Amino acid sequence: MRYVLSFGLVSIATIIKLYHFNMIGLSTPFLLYFGTVIVCSRWLGKGPAYFGISISLLAIIYFFMAPYGALAINHNQSIQLLLYTVEAWLLIGLSNALNESTKKNLTQMKLFEAIMAKSTDGIVVVDKDGKRTYCSPSVENVIGYSAEEYLKLPAWKLGHPDELERIKEQYKNLTESSGECMVLLHRMRHKNGKWIWVESRVTNSLDESGVASMIANFNNVTKRIETEQHLKDFIGIVSHELKSPLTSMKAYGQITLKKIDLKDDSGASTFALRMSHLTDRMLKLINDMLDVATINAGQLKLDIQKFDLNALVHEVVDLLQQTTDRHQLIINFSELQEISGDKDKIAQIITNLITNAIKYTPSGGEINIASKLLMTELEYQ
């Protein structure tokens, strides 16, 4: 069928040239046939195009080259026909390359659309004027609105009032930082009216050639945020529930230790002392858990005061020395002035550092704790 269509196109071109013979003349016998080669190559394929060249050569020789009505040519005419054939083949090659490029682009476009439709992330492209120019179909999976609906919504329409100013300010700062990327955690109003937590990754590609846009990927992280909050609440509740009986246990242990000391029972005193130290370690662990929950909740409060750091480290070392018989904690301090900070929190940090040193020196031996003043910085080793 394609070859029949090719033959038909060459026939139509020949009839037109013959009908308008006086107007077209003989100076351009190949012009319309080039058109048939392009059409055949573009829509019918290479085979019909080559077939069309062969038919058009016969038509040109028979109708438009002297002697007319005969399939005979001279030397100059043969050169003309050869040039026509070469040029027609080049047109077929160019057309074929265009066809391949078009098919490849269509395939990539379909693949891109499929990825965008199946993606769990919503993708939005915003131009330099703040106007949305593209929304992936997957935005409906995140916020309930179709891509067409979301494109029509005013900018920031779905933002939470308590976070809107902060998000706008961060977005504005990002637009001034070419090539930078920013991750935002914020709330958006779903089409069903509920507030959902969304994590957005926004990239500034305004200066990127061919893009010139801000690109945002965002997905619904409500379940993750709720799970994290439940975990924080659980840690806080469990820590408080454990801390209360352990505090009482420590108090009873101290009372028991005093009574044992009065009876001068060194063996029982040693056991009671170790029990007290273990209780301290449990309380420290629980306090650490409470601090983690407090930090995650953004409610950590610092009690800033002036104190002697060397004296504080000395107290911690004396306490930890009682927990080990295989290690010798050696102090080598420089003279320091009082510093400002949260004394309890710094004591926790120092305790963690020395405890780790004891833990990871299982064979025992000396552990040196030294302080050094370097210009405006204080270094502990």
Side-chain angles (χ1 to χ4, degrees):
M1 184 63 183
R2 291 181 301 146
Y3 288 89
V4 173
L5 290 174
S6 176
F7 180 81
L9 286 172
V10 173
S11 299
I12 292 172
T14 302
I15 293 170
I16 292 174
K17 287 172 69 66
L18 289 172
Y19 186 76
H20 297 285
F21 184 82
N22 294 330
M23 183 174 64
I24 297 175
L26 299 177
S27 59
T28 56
F30 310 110
L31 189 59
L32 283 179
Y33 294 121
F34 277 129
T36 63
V37 170
I38 293 172
V39 172
C40 289
S41 177
R42 182 70 178 86
W43 283 282
L44 302 180
K46 290 192 292 184
Y50 288 128
F51 178 72
I53 292 175
S54 302
I55 300 300
S56 63
L57 284 171
L58 294 174
I60 291 168
I61 294 171
Y62 190 82
F63 292 108
F64 304 105
M65 285 188 170
Y68 306 117
L71 295 176
I73 55 174
N74 59 35
H75 178 71
N76 290 335
Q77 290 171 338
S78 64
I79 293 175
Q80 286 182 300
L81 293 171
L82 178 61
L83 290 174
Y84 163 71
T85 303
V86 171
E87 290 172 352
W89 283 352
L90 287 174
L91 286 174
I92 292 174
L94 291 173
S95 181
N96 184 60
L98 178 62
N99 284 342
E100 292 298 322
S101 178
T102 302
K103 288 179 182 177
K104 186 176 180 180
N105 288 337
L106 287 173
T107 301
Q108 291 179 339
M109 183 64 72
K110 289 180 180 178
L111 178 61
F112 174 77
E113 291 175 351
I115 292 173
M116 293 300 99
K118 301 297 181 183
S119 174
T120 56
D121 286 8
I123 300 175
V124 177
V125 179
V126 182
D127 65 16
K128 62 181 180 180
D129 298 320
K131 181 181 178 181
R132 300 188 194 101
T133 57
Y134 172 80
C135 286
S136 67
S138 53
V139 297
E140 190 168 0
N141 300 330
V142 182
I143 56 176
Y145 291 93
S146 68
E148 294 75 16
E149 290 174 328
Y150 190 52
L151 282 171
K152 295 176 182 178
L153 289 175
W156 314 109
K157 174 71 174 180
L158 305 182
H160 195 283
D162 296 343
E163 302 164 347
L164 210 50
E165 290 304 317
R166 172 178 63 86
I167 298 298
K168 285 182 178 180
E169 182 65 24
Q170 290 177 311
Y171 183 85
K172 180 178 178 296
N173 293 337
L174 182 62
T175 60
E176 298 170 356
S177 304
S178 178
E180 294 296 317
C181 180
M182 175 177 61
V183 178
L184 299 171
L185 184 64
H186 57 99
R187 284 170 287 182
M188 293 181 71
R189 188 183 291 278
H190 194 276
K191 190 176 182 179
N192 61 17
K194 295 181 179 179
W195 290 105
I196 61 171
W197 282 99
V198 170
E199 188 174 71
S200 299
R201 184 180 183 87
V202 189
T203 304
N204 182 345
S205 299
L206 291 172
D207 293 335
E208 187 174 335
S209 178
V211 181
S213 301
M214 301 287 287
I215 302 174
N217 300 58
F218 60 97
N219 62 320
N220 189 340
V221 294
T222 304
K223 290 184 178 179
R224 190 190 82 190
I225 297 299
E226 290 176 348
T227 301
E228 290 175 354
Q229 186 57 50
H230 292 328
L231 180 59
K232 293 173 189 175
D233 295 341
F234 173 77
I235 291 175
I237 293 170
V238 170
S239 299
H240 282 295
E241 292 298 321
L242 288 174
K243 187 174 182 180
S244 181
L246 278 173
T247 303
S248 299
M249 186 186 300
K250 179 174 175 58
Y252 286 127
Q254 290 173 339
I255 295 170
T256 303
L257 183 59
K258 288 180 181 179
K259 290 185 177 181
I260 291 173
D261 288 341
L262 292 173
K263 294 181 180 181
D264 197 22
D265 187 341
S266 59
S269 177
T270 300
F271 288 125
L273 186 60
R274 288 184 176 177
M275 181 181 73
S276 177
H277 290 328
L278 289 172
T279 306
D280 287 338
R281 290 175 65 183
M282 285 293 294
L283 284 170
K284 175 187 171 301
L285 179 61
I286 292 169
N287 285 330
D288 288 345
M289 292 172 66
L290 285 171
D291 284 344
V292 169
T294 303
I295 291 171
N296 287 335
Q299 298 174 351
L300 181 66
K301 295 181 180 179
L302 299 177
D303 181 16
I304 305 299
Q305 56 181 297
K306 284 192 172 185
F307 63 94
D308 187 334
L309 183 58
N310 281 346
L312 176 63
V313 176
H314 209 294
E315 290 176 13
V316 174
V317 169
D318 288 344
L319 178 63
L320 293 178
Q321 183 65 78
Q322 299 177 38
T323 64
T324 176
D325 298 326
R326 292 182 299 167
H327 302 81
Q328 184 178 2
L329 306 182
I330 299 175
I331 295 175
N332 183 19
F333 291 157
S334 300
E335 290 188 10
L336 302 174
Q337 296 181 345
E338 288 189 337
I339 67 167
S340 296
D342 189 311
K343 185 176 179 180
D344 291 336
K345 296 293 185 297
I346 293 177
Q348 283 181 273
I349 294 171
I350 296 169
T351 301
N352 288 339
L353 291 173
I354 299 176
T355 301
N356 286 338
I358 295 172
K359 179 179 178 182
Y360 294 106
T361 314
S363 59
E366 294 182 352
I367 295 176
N368 293 288
I369 302 102
S371 66
K372 187 188 300 182
L373 188 61
L374 302 172
M375 300 297 287
T376 58
E377 296 182 358
L378 177 62
E379 180 180 298
Y380 266 88
Q381 301 175 336

